[in-house]
Tab-separated table of all heavy atoms in Angstrom:
chain	number	residue	atom	x	y	z
H	1040	HIS	N	-6.020	7.878	-0.996
H	1040	HIS	CA	-6.373	6.487	-0.779
H	1040	HIS	C	-7.610	6.010	-1.605
H	1040	HIS	O	-7.748	4.830	-1.819
H	1040	HIS	CB	-6.733	6.221	0.691
H	1040	HIS	CG	-6.295	4.911	1.125
H	1040	HIS	ND1	-6.127	4.511	2.524
H	1040	HIS	CD2	-5.973	3.769	0.436
H	1040	HIS	CE1	-5.834	3.288	2.604
H	1040	HIS	NE2	-5.730	2.828	1.363
H	1061	HIS	N	-4.876	-3.670	5.695
H	1061	HIS	CA	-5.072	-2.237	5.489
H	1061	HIS	C	-4.502	-1.609	6.755
H	1061	HIS	O	-5.020	-1.665	7.916
H	1061	HIS	CB	-6.680	-1.965	5.467
H	1061	HIS	CG	-6.953	-0.484	5.488
H	1061	HIS	ND1	-8.262	-0.083	5.843
H	1061	HIS	CD2	-6.210	0.550	5.185
H	1061	HIS	CE1	-8.234	1.266	5.841
H	1061	HIS	NE2	-7.021	1.686	5.497
H	1062	PHE	N	-3.436	-0.821	6.429
H	1062	PHE	CA	-2.714	0.033	7.395
H	1062	PHE	C	-3.225	1.502	7.323
H	1062	PHE	O	-2.964	2.032	6.283
H	1062	PHE	CB	-1.266	-0.079	7.253
H	1062	PHE	CG	-0.666	-1.518	7.362
H	1062	PHE	CD1	-0.735	-2.379	6.405
H	1062	PHE	CD2	0.031	-1.801	8.595
H	1062	PHE	CE1	-0.078	-3.661	6.580
H	1062	PHE	CE2	0.568	-3.100	8.719
H	1062	PHE	CZ	0.478	-4.069	7.700
H	1063	ASP	N	-3.678	1.981	8.497
H	1063	ASP	CA	-4.220	3.388	8.394
H	1063	ASP	C	-4.502	3.826	9.773
H	1063	ASP	O	-4.734	3.110	10.649
H	1063	ASP	CB	-5.499	3.326	7.525
H	1063	ASP	CG	-5.863	4.536	6.799
H	1063	ASP	OD1	-5.709	5.660	7.345
H	1063	ASP	OD2	-6.397	4.425	5.643
H	1064	ALA	N	-4.539	5.242	9.891
H	1064	ALA	CA	-5.182	5.831	11.060
H	1064	ALA	C	-6.672	5.810	11.012
H	1064	ALA	O	-7.329	5.899	12.079
H	1064	ALA	CB	-4.641	7.269	11.200
H	1065	HIS	N	-7.232	5.659	9.863
H	1065	HIS	CA	-8.773	5.723	9.577
H	1065	HIS	C	-9.224	4.488	8.991
H	1065	HIS	O	-8.504	3.848	8.122
H	1065	HIS	CB	-8.951	6.984	8.631
H	1065	HIS	CG	-8.273	8.234	8.955
H	1065	HIS	ND1	-6.840	8.465	8.470
H	1065	HIS	CD2	-8.603	9.219	9.853
H	1065	HIS	CE1	-6.555	9.588	8.982
H	1065	HIS	NE2	-7.456	10.146	9.760
H	1066	ALA	N	-10.403	4.114	9.303
H	1066	ALA	CA	-10.926	2.849	8.779
H	1066	ALA	C	-11.482	3.068	7.298
H	1066	ALA	O	-11.598	2.068	6.545
H	1066	ALA	CB	-12.126	2.432	9.622
H	1067	ASP	N	-11.744	4.313	6.845
H	1067	ASP	CA	-12.113	4.574	5.468
H	1067	ASP	C	-13.401	3.874	5.089
H	1067	ASP	O	-13.529	3.386	3.963
H	1067	ASP	CB	-10.959	4.353	4.521
H	1067	ASP	CG	-9.817	5.087	4.743
H	1067	ASP	OD1	-9.913	6.237	5.370
H	1067	ASP	OD2	-8.692	4.914	4.298
H	1077	HIS	N	-11.804	9.813	-0.010
H	1077	HIS	CA	-10.730	8.872	0.382
H	1077	HIS	C	-11.113	8.306	1.817
H	1077	HIS	O	-10.259	7.664	2.477
H	1077	HIS	CB	-9.343	9.540	0.381
H	1077	HIS	CG	-9.245	10.492	1.505
H	1077	HIS	ND1	-7.885	10.877	1.969
H	1077	HIS	CD2	-10.018	11.322	2.208
H	1077	HIS	CE1	-7.917	11.940	2.824
H	1077	HIS	NE2	-9.172	12.090	2.983
H	1078	GLY	N	-12.360	8.694	2.401
H	1078	GLY	CA	-12.662	8.085	3.661
H	1078	GLY	C	-13.855	7.183	3.588
H	1078	GLY	O	-14.367	6.729	4.668
H	1080	MET	N	-14.058	4.475	0.653
H	1080	MET	CA	-14.060	3.492	-0.402
H	1080	MET	C	-13.965	2.084	0.120
H	1080	MET	O	-14.317	1.058	-0.637
H	1080	MET	CB	-12.881	3.797	-1.381
H	1080	MET	CG	-11.530	3.631	-0.754
H	1080	MET	SD	-11.133	5.137	0.129
H	1080	MET	CE	-9.801	4.581	1.254
H	1081	PHE	N	-13.657	1.881	1.411
H	1081	PHE	CA	-13.600	0.411	1.795
H	1081	PHE	C	-15.020	-0.166	2.291
H	1081	PHE	O	-15.265	-1.284	2.410
H	1081	PHE	CB	-12.520	0.131	2.919
H	1081	PHE	CG	-11.215	0.422	2.316
H	1081	PHE	CD1	-10.182	1.061	3.006
H	1081	PHE	CD2	-10.873	-0.182	1.026
H	1081	PHE	CE1	-8.934	1.214	2.511
H	1081	PHE	CE2	-9.544	0.056	0.476
H	1081	PHE	CZ	-8.567	0.736	1.209
H	1145	ASP	N	-1.790	3.255	4.046
H	1145	ASP	CA	-1.926	4.780	4.003
H	1145	ASP	C	-0.833	5.271	4.929
H	1145	ASP	O	-0.850	4.801	6.266
H	1145	ASP	CB	-3.368	4.991	4.682
H	1145	ASP	CG	-3.672	6.428	4.751
H	1145	ASP	OD1	-2.830	7.278	4.948
H	1145	ASP	OD2	-4.944	6.818	4.640
H	1147	ASP	N	-0.570	7.679	6.732
H	1147	ASP	CA	-0.984	8.336	7.959
H	1147	ASP	C	-1.160	7.222	9.164
H	1147	ASP	O	-1.503	7.559	10.296
H	1147	ASP	CB	-2.180	9.218	7.856
H	1147	ASP	CG	-3.449	8.613	7.557
H	1147	ASP	OD1	-3.702	7.316	7.840
H	1147	ASP	OD2	-4.371	9.175	7.004
H	1159	THR	N	-4.167	13.953	6.168
H	1159	THR	CA	-5.036	13.817	7.393
H	1159	THR	C	-4.157	13.253	8.496
H	1159	THR	O	-4.608	12.030	8.999
H	1159	THR	CB	-6.279	13.103	7.103
H	1159	THR	OG1	-6.049	11.933	6.432
H	1159	THR	CG2	-7.285	13.895	6.254
H	1188	VAL	N	0.025	4.904	-0.190
H	1188	VAL	CA	-0.775	6.110	-0.542
H	1188	VAL	C	-0.650	7.258	0.455
H	1188	VAL	O	-0.199	7.041	1.602
H	1188	VAL	CB	-2.226	5.716	-0.798
H	1188	VAL	CG1	-2.367	4.676	-1.850
H	1188	VAL	CG2	-2.928	5.193	0.574
H	1189	GLU	N	-1.172	8.430	-0.003
H	1189	GLU	CA	-1.410	9.535	0.877
H	1189	GLU	C	-0.007	10.280	1.333
H	1189	GLU	O	-0.136	11.072	2.292
H	1189	GLU	CB	-2.169	9.186	2.185
H	1189	GLU	CG	-3.528	8.671	1.893
H	1189	GLU	CD	-4.542	9.809	1.600
H	1189	GLU	OE1	-4.251	11.047	1.629
H	1189	GLU	OE2	-5.753	9.485	1.216
E	1723	LIG	MN1	-6.770	5.847	4.200
Side-chain angles (χ1 to χ4, degrees):
H1040 213 163
H1061 170 203
F1062 297 81
D1063 207 319
H1065 314 89
D1067 293 346
H1077 73 157
M1080 64 282 160
F1081 294 138
D1145 182 329
D1147 71 28
T1159 47
V1188 298
E1189 297 282 356

